[in-house]
Amino acid sequence: MTVLPFLAAGWIFLAGVYGMVTSRNLVHAVGCLAVAQSSTYVLLLGVGYRRGATAPVFSDIPVNTPVVDPVVQALVLTDVVVGATVTALLLSLVIQIRKRTGTVNPEELTELKG
Amino acid sequence: MSRRVRVLLFLSAAVVFAVAFTAACTGLPHFGTQSHPYGDRAVHAALQHRTANVISAVNFDQRALDTLGEESILFGAVLGAVALLRRARDENRGAPEPGRVLPSTLLLGAGLLPVTVLVGVYIVAHGQLSPGGGFQGGVVLATGLHLAYVAADYRVLRRVRPLAVFSALDAVGAGAFTALGLAGLIAGAAYLQNVLPLGTFGRLSSAGLVPLVNAAVGVEVASGVIVLIAQFLDQAVEIAPPDDNSPPQEAGT
């Protein structure tokens, strides 16, 4: 099964979205968004994997050693950092929602307030 | 939309997604394939610029402009969180109560704090040589500082973490990245192009602009995460919730 790692990424994504759809708590919803986002890491690292290769750092290996794809690893790296800060931003929104409306259940947040 | 309808809608969308995604995956190059045209070119370009860590070369040299954008997202997210979590007029600031700390925890924290900060600086400084760099080292630095909170208490943390300084450093880091790009323009090349002397492969001074950009990102990530955690700790430790009996007030009243 050479597509199994890619399918695993799709499964993680769907699990995250399912969690967001059925969530009864905004903190839980933000966590599920992080799960859905982490599926992209699995997909990217799966795409960049090369059999029998090592990490793309040449400080202690000869320069012609086969290495895994560094481009996708660089994408994942920045994705992780930006994802973490955006999660923090969303969680601070949740704190404000809790303060202003007294609830974190998205189903109770039905009316718009001016 | 009722809960049932929402789940049904999700399930039907999920089936469509699953079918399309599986079909797309069968069209991808096989898992573990030897053919990585972009990867091979990135490795070649990194070695030409004498950067041992190819990931750092991709992030801070080959696509440095993209990283500048991502770093700006980071800066914006921190700024947004600070704006959202600042103390409102109807909230009271309470004095945090010190809790009891086991002597062994205190000893371990006091011993590990300088070691962790040193490791963080090491990871940032060796970003062009070994796995690591500004992003990872910055997070290690920021979280390492919070050993002061775990091992002692909030007031000790506030003393080792002058928040105004770190807020300024966050902006300085973001600005330094932008300013370093001008080196390319001054040398008559493109913005953020690696034009500094490349040094010897495998040395701390190798890779030209990469270690400097790495340091700028390290400063920004470290101070950004410190400021972020400070906002959340403020909410948990210092700010007393508004009186629950009174109706929730509108923002800005």
Side-chain angles (χ1 to χ4, degrees):
Chain A
M1 279 295 277
T2 56
V3 292
L4 193 60
F6 306 138
L7 295 183
W11 175 255
I12 296 172
F13 174 76
L14 284 179
V17 177
Y18 175 76
M20 276 190 277
V21 168
T22 59
S23 175
R24 288 170 197 274
N25 184 322
L26 284 173
V27 177
H28 171 264
V30 173
C32 289
L33 180 67
V35 170
Q37 192 194 9
S38 63
S39 69
T40 59
Y41 314 154
V42 177
L43 181 68
L44 281 171
L45 294 180
V47 167
Y49 181 69
R50 175 184 274 180
R51 219 169 285 281
T54 181
V57 177
F58 291 100
S59 44
D60 50 1
I61 53 173
V63 289
N64 49 8
T65 317
V67 291
V68 298
D69 198 329
V71 178
V72 289
Q73 297 213 343
L75 292 176
V76 172
L77 169 60
T78 41
D79 193 2
V80 169
V81 179
V82 169
T85 46
V86 171
T87 303
L89 181 65
L90 288 174
L91 286 175
S92 43
L93 268 175
V94 173
I95 290 178
Q96 283 300 341
I97 290 172
R98 168 69 178 81
K99 274 190 202 163
R100 296 298 157 199
T101 65
T103 176
V104 287
N105 187 343
E107 288 177 19
E108 288 170 19
L109 297 167
T110 48
E111 49 187 299
L112 286 170
K113 284 180 183 171
Chain B
M1 203 188 309
S2 82
R3 198 174 176 75
R4 223 178 106 79
V5 177
R6 200 160 10 132
V7 172
L8 281 176
L9 191 67
F10 165 76
L11 286 178
S12 46
V15 169
V16 174
F17 171 82
V19 172
F21 186 77
T22 310
C25 283
T26 54
L28 280 176
H30 286 298
F31 179 67
T33 179
Q34 296 298 318
S35 144
H36 287 278
Y38 291 113
D40 291 340
R41 283 173 175 80
V43 169
H44 183 70
L47 293 177
Q48 264 193 337
H49 277 185
R50 297 184 208 147
T51 315
N53 181 356
V54 185
I55 301 163
S56 278
V58 172
N59 267 336
F60 300 117
D61 184 3
Q62 298 164 31
R63 46 185 288 275
L65 193 65
D66 293 1
T67 308
L68 178 62
E70 282 149 357
E71 203 216 22
S72 309
I73 298 176
L74 198 154
F75 185 69
V78 172
L79 203 64
V82 171
L84 277 171
L85 292 181
R86 71 196 187 284
R87 191 173 65 90
R89 268 174 221 162
D90 54 341
E91 287 169 334
N92 299 316
R93 193 173 279 271
E97 299 276 320
R100 204 176 74 88
V101 180
L102 288 176
S104 51
T105 315
L106 186 61
L107 184 67
L108 196 69
L112 275 181
L113 200 152
V115 177
T116 321
V117 171
L118 189 68
V119 168
V121 172
Y122 180 93
I123 292 176
V124 173
H126 288 71
Q128 70 278 24
L129 300 176
S130 60
F135 288 115
Q136 300 93 321
V139 173
V140 171
L141 274 173
T143 46
L145 201 64
H146 287 84
L147 278 170
Y149 178 60
V150 176
D153 71 33
Y154 193 64
R155 286 171 301 176
V156 176
L157 175 66
R158 269 203 306 213
R159 227 171 301 148
V160 298
R161 180 209 68 187
L163 204 53
V165 173
F166 281 111
S167 308
L169 274 180
D170 192 23
V172 166
F177 196 143
T178 319
L180 280 170
L182 297 175
L185 290 184
I186 292 167
Y191 185 70
L192 275 172
Q193 192 171 337
N194 195 346
V195 288
L196 294 187
L198 291 172
T200 314
F201 184 81
R203 292 293 179 85
L204 199 57
S205 58
S206 65
L209 201 59
V210 174
L212 297 178
V213 177
N214 237 333
V217 169
V219 168
E220 202 214 323
V221 172
S223 27
V225 173
I226 288 170
V227 172
L228 265 186
I229 297 179
Q231 301 306 320
F232 283 102
L233 276 180
D234 251 19
Q235 293 290 325
V237 181
E238 276 202 54
I239 291 183
D243 202 357
D244 274 345
N245 298 328
S246 65
Q249 293 193 356
E250 305 297 321
T253 51

mmCIF file of all heavy atoms in Angstrom, chain A residues 52-80:
data_model
loop_
_atom_site.group_PDB
_atom_site.id
_atom_site.type_symbol
_atom_site.label_atom_id
_atom_site.label_comp_id
_atom_site.label_asym_id
_atom_site.label_seq_id
_atom_site.Cartn_x
_atom_site.Cartn_y
_atom_site.Cartn_z
ATOM 1 N N GLY A 52 15.264 5.022 2.221
ATOM 2 C CA GLY A 52 16.704 4.860 2.450
ATOM 3 C C GLY A 52 17.457 6.166 2.565
ATOM 4 O O GLY A 52 18.689 6.166 2.558
ATOM 5 N N ALA A 53 16.742 7.295 2.681
ATOM 6 C CA ALA A 53 17.422 8.588 2.741
ATOM 7 C C ALA A 53 17.469 9.076 4.184
ATOM 8 O O ALA A 53 16.794 8.547 5.060
ATOM 9 C CB ALA A 53 16.696 9.604 1.872
ATOM 10 N N THR A 54 18.265 10.117 4.403
ATOM 11 C CA THR A 54 18.414 10.651 5.756
ATOM 12 C C THR A 54 17.987 12.118 5.787
ATOM 13 O O THR A 54 17.498 12.650 4.784
ATOM 14 C CB THR A 54 19.874 10.473 6.229
ATOM 15 O OG1 THR A 54 19.984 10.984 7.536
ATOM 16 C CG2 THR A 54 20.834 11.224 5.332
ATOM 17 N N ALA A 55 18.157 12.757 6.941
ATOM 18 C CA ALA A 55 17.722 14.145 7.095
ATOM 19 C C ALA A 55 18.565 15.071 6.221
ATOM 20 O O ALA A 55 19.758 14.823 6.037
ATOM 21 C CB ALA A 55 17.840 14.559 8.558
ATOM 22 N N PRO A 56 17.958 16.142 5.664
ATOM 23 C CA PRO A 56 18.701 16.995 4.736
ATOM 24 C C PRO A 56 19.627 17.990 5.441
ATOM 25 O O PRO A 56 19.528 19.191 5.250
ATOM 26 C CB PRO A 56 17.604 17.710 3.960
ATOM 27 C CG PRO A 56 16.459 17.727 4.895
ATOM 28 C CD PRO A 56 16.566 16.504 5.753
ATOM 29 N N VAL A 57 20.511 17.460 6.271
ATOM 30 C CA VAL A 57 21.485 18.304 6.973
ATOM 31 C C VAL A 57 22.858 17.704 6.736
ATOM 32 O O VAL A 57 23.111 16.560 7.093
ATOM 33 C CB VAL A 57 21.176 18.362 8.480
ATOM 34 C CG1 VAL A 57 22.221 19.181 9.197
ATOM 35 C CG2 VAL A 57 19.805 18.947 8.717
ATOM 36 N N PHE A 58 23.756 18.485 6.114
ATOM 37 C CA PHE A 58 25.019 17.922 5.651
ATOM 38 C C PHE A 58 26.173 18.256 6.571
ATOM 39 O O PHE A 58 27.306 18.363 6.121
ATOM 40 C CB PHE A 58 25.317 18.433 4.234
ATOM 41 C CG PHE A 58 24.380 17.878 3.211
ATOM 42 C CD1 PHE A 58 23.313 18.630 2.744
ATOM 43 C CD2 PHE A 58 24.543 16.592 2.729
ATOM 44 C CE1 PHE A 58 22.438 18.114 1.823
ATOM 45 C CE2 PHE A 58 23.664 16.068 1.794
ATOM 46 C CZ PHE A 58 22.616 16.824 1.341
ATOM 47 N N SER A 59 25.919 18.452 7.868
ATOM 48 C CA SER A 59 27.031 18.827 8.733
ATOM 49 C C SER A 59 27.922 17.624 9.027
ATOM 50 O O SER A 59 29.108 17.802 9.268
ATOM 51 C CB SER A 59 26.503 19.453 10.019
ATOM 52 O OG SER A 59 25.426 18.723 10.514
ATOM 53 N N ASP A 60 27.383 16.404 9.022
ATOM 54 C CA ASP A 60 28.246 15.257 9.333
ATOM 55 C C ASP A 60 28.051 14.089 8.364
ATOM 56 O O ASP A 60 28.390 12.963 8.696
ATOM 57 C CB ASP A 60 28.007 14.790 10.781
ATOM 58 C CG ASP A 60 26.535 14.586 11.077
ATOM 59 O OD1 ASP A 60 25.731 14.790 10.160
ATOM 60 O OD2 ASP A 60 26.197 14.224 12.210
ATOM 61 N N ILE A 61 27.505 14.351 7.174
ATOM 62 C CA ILE A 61 27.388 13.294 6.178
ATOM 63 C C ILE A 61 27.970 13.814 4.862
ATOM 64 O O ILE A 61 27.975 15.021 4.635
ATOM 65 C CB ILE A 61 25.912 12.850 5.980
ATOM 66 C CG1 ILE A 61 25.027 14.053 5.674
ATOM 67 C CG2 ILE A 61 25.402 12.076 7.174
ATOM 68 C CD1 ILE A 61 23.604 13.696 5.303
ATOM 69 N N PRO A 62 28.459 12.907 3.998
ATOM 70 C CA PRO A 62 28.979 13.359 2.703
ATOM 71 C C PRO A 62 27.893 14.044 1.885
ATOM 72 O O PRO A 62 26.704 13.729 2.030
ATOM 73 C CB PRO A 62 29.441 12.059 2.021
ATOM 74 C CG PRO A 62 29.392 10.997 3.035
ATOM 75 C CD PRO A 62 28.592 11.456 4.187
ATOM 76 N N VAL A 63 28.297 14.973 1.003
ATOM 77 C CA VAL A 63 27.300 15.805 0.322
ATOM 78 C C VAL A 63 26.521 15.046 -0.747
ATOM 79 O O VAL A 63 25.539 15.559 -1.261
ATOM 80 C CB VAL A 63 27.956 17.042 -0.322
ATOM 81 C CG1 VAL A 63 28.403 18.017 0.728
ATOM 82 C CG2 VAL A 63 29.096 16.661 -1.224
ATOM 83 N N ASN A 64 26.951 13.811 -1.110
ATOM 84 C CA ASN A 64 26.156 13.095 -2.115
ATOM 85 C C ASN A 64 25.246 12.030 -1.507
ATOM 86 O O ASN A 64 24.692 11.202 -2.222
ATOM 87 C CB ASN A 64 27.081 12.471 -3.171
ATOM 88 C CG ASN A 64 28.213 11.701 -2.517
ATOM 89 O OD1 ASN A 64 28.207 11.517 -1.298
ATOM 90 N ND2 ASN A 64 29.169 11.254 -3.313
ATOM 91 N N THR A 65 25.081 12.046 -0.174
ATOM 92 C CA THR A 65 24.167 11.112 0.468
ATOM 93 C C THR A 65 22.729 11.437 0.042
ATOM 94 O O THR A 65 22.370 12.612 -0.043
ATOM 95 C CB THR A 65 24.261 11.262 2.005
ATOM 96 O OG1 THR A 65 25.620 11.387 2.366
ATOM 97 C CG2 THR A 65 23.629 10.085 2.724
ATOM 98 N N PRO A 66 21.907 10.423 -0.249
ATOM 99 C CA PRO A 66 20.503 10.742 -0.538
ATOM 100 C C PRO A 66 19.793 11.284 0.700
ATOM 101 O O PRO A 66 19.948 10.749 1.800
ATOM 102 C CB PRO A 66 19.918 9.392 -0.981
ATOM 103 C CG PRO A 66 20.835 8.367 -0.450
ATOM 104 C CD PRO A 66 22.185 8.984 -0.385
ATOM 105 N N VAL A 67 19.045 12.370 0.509
ATOM 106 C CA VAL A 67 18.306 12.963 1.632
ATOM 107 C C VAL A 67 16.837 13.093 1.236
ATOM 108 O O VAL A 67 16.505 13.124 0.045
ATOM 109 C CB VAL A 67 18.854 14.359 2.013
ATOM 110 C CG1 VAL A 67 20.226 14.246 2.626
ATOM 111 C CG2 VAL A 67 18.876 15.276 0.819
ATOM 112 N N VAL A 68 15.969 13.181 2.250
ATOM 113 C CA VAL A 68 14.548 13.393 1.978
ATOM 114 C C VAL A 68 14.353 14.831 1.489
ATOM 115 O O VAL A 68 15.240 15.672 1.630
ATOM 116 C CB VAL A 68 13.684 13.118 3.227
ATOM 117 C CG1 VAL A 68 13.818 11.678 3.656
ATOM 118 C CG2 VAL A 68 14.051 14.046 4.348
ATOM 119 N N ASP A 69 13.182 15.083 0.929
ATOM 120 C CA ASP A 69 12.921 16.370 0.270
ATOM 121 C C ASP A 69 12.920 17.522 1.287
ATOM 122 O O ASP A 69 12.062 17.570 2.165
ATOM 123 C CB ASP A 69 11.552 16.290 -0.417
ATOM 124 C CG ASP A 69 11.394 17.380 -1.462
ATOM 125 O OD1 ASP A 69 11.985 18.452 -1.263
ATOM 126 O OD2 ASP A 69 10.687 17.145 -2.447
ATOM 127 N N PRO A 70 13.882 18.454 1.219
ATOM 128 C CA PRO A 70 13.922 19.528 2.216
ATOM 129 C C PRO A 70 12.847 20.595 2.003
ATOM 130 O O PRO A 70 12.509 21.318 2.935
ATOM 131 C CB PRO A 70 15.316 20.124 2.034
ATOM 132 C CG PRO A 70 15.679 19.813 0.636
ATOM 133 C CD PRO A 70 15.008 18.534 0.263
ATOM 134 N N VAL A 71 12.302 20.680 0.776
ATOM 135 C CA VAL A 71 11.333 21.750 0.502
ATOM 136 C C VAL A 71 10.089 21.565 1.348
ATOM 137 O O VAL A 71 9.620 22.493 2.017
ATOM 138 C CB VAL A 71 10.996 21.780 -1.001
ATOM 139 C CG1 VAL A 71 9.960 22.837 -1.274
ATOM 140 C CG2 VAL A 71 12.230 22.031 -1.823
ATOM 141 N N VAL A 72 9.546 20.328 1.378
ATOM 142 C CA VAL A 72 8.328 20.119 2.154
ATOM 143 C C VAL A 72 8.608 20.247 3.646
ATOM 144 O O VAL A 72 7.749 20.709 4.404
ATOM 145 C CB VAL A 72 7.694 18.748 1.838
ATOM 146 C CG1 VAL A 72 7.097 18.744 0.466
ATOM 147 C CG2 VAL A 72 8.665 17.633 2.009
ATOM 148 N N GLN A 73 9.816 19.848 4.067
ATOM 149 C CA GLN A 73 10.139 19.993 5.494
ATOM 150 C C GLN A 73 10.145 21.463 5.897
ATOM 151 O O GLN A 73 9.669 21.827 6.979
ATOM 152 C CB GLN A 73 11.496 19.371 5.781
ATOM 153 C CG GLN A 73 11.505 17.882 5.511
ATOM 154 C CD GLN A 73 12.428 17.131 6.439
ATOM 155 O OE1 GLN A 73 13.284 17.715 7.081
ATOM 156 N NE2 GLN A 73 12.235 15.843 6.507
ATOM 157 N N ALA A 74 10.671 22.320 5.003
ATOM 158 C CA ALA A 74 10.677 23.753 5.291
ATOM 159 C C ALA A 74 9.248 24.281 5.364
ATOM 160 O O ALA A 74 8.918 25.104 6.230
ATOM 161 C CB ALA A 74 11.462 24.490 4.215
ATOM 162 N N LEU A 75 8.380 23.769 4.478
ATOM 163 C CA LEU A 75 6.974 24.205 4.514
ATOM 164 C C LEU A 75 6.326 23.810 5.839
ATOM 165 O O LEU A 75 5.607 24.601 6.457
ATOM 166 C CB LEU A 75 6.204 23.570 3.347
ATOM 167 C CG LEU A 75 6.570 24.050 1.953
ATOM 168 C CD1 LEU A 75 5.796 23.266 0.917
ATOM 169 C CD2 LEU A 75 6.275 25.521 1.812
ATOM 170 N N VAL A 76 6.593 22.562 6.271
ATOM 171 C CA VAL A 76 5.989 22.092 7.528
ATOM 172 C C VAL A 76 6.475 22.929 8.694
ATOM 173 O O VAL A 76 5.693 23.302 9.576
ATOM 174 C CB VAL A 76 6.303 20.600 7.745
ATOM 175 C CG1 VAL A 76 5.854 20.154 9.122
ATOM 176 C CG2 VAL A 76 5.635 19.746 6.690
ATOM 177 N N LEU A 77 7.767 23.261 8.672
ATOM 178 C CA LEU A 77 8.350 24.023 9.788
ATOM 179 C C LEU A 77 7.624 25.355 9.996
ATOM 180 O O LEU A 77 7.190 25.683 11.110
ATOM 181 C CB LEU A 77 9.834 24.261 9.502
ATOM 182 C CG LEU A 77 10.547 25.252 10.420
ATOM 183 C CD1 LEU A 77 10.484 24.765 11.842
ATOM 184 C CD2 LEU A 77 11.965 25.439 9.988
ATOM 185 N N THR A 78 7.459 26.108 8.929
ATOM 186 C CA THR A 78 6.814 27.402 9.092
ATOM 187 C C THR A 78 5.329 27.212 9.416
ATOM 188 O O THR A 78 4.755 27.993 10.165
ATOM 189 C CB THR A 78 6.975 28.256 7.837
ATOM 190 O OG1 THR A 78 6.806 27.432 6.700
ATOM 191 C CG2 THR A 78 8.333 28.881 7.785
ATOM 192 N N ASP A 79 4.738 26.151 8.859
ATOM 193 C CA ASP A 79 3.333 25.865 9.134
ATOM 194 C C ASP A 79 3.106 25.620 10.625
ATOM 195 O O ASP A 79 2.139 26.120 11.216
ATOM 196 C CB ASP A 79 2.927 24.631 8.315
ATOM 197 C CG ASP A 79 1.434 24.424 8.283
ATOM 198 O OD1 ASP A 79 0.723 25.267 8.863
ATOM 199 O OD2 ASP A 79 0.986 23.448 7.674
ATOM 200 N N VAL A 80 4.031 24.879 11.238
ATOM 201 C CA VAL A 80 3.896 24.569 12.668
ATOM 202 C C VAL A 80 3.900 25.858 13.487
ATOM 203 O O VAL A 80 3.036 26.071 14.357
ATOM 204 C CB VAL A 80 5.037 23.629 13.126
ATOM 205 C CG1 VAL A 80 5.067 23.521 14.633
ATOM 206 C CG2 VAL A 80 4.884 22.263 12.500
#
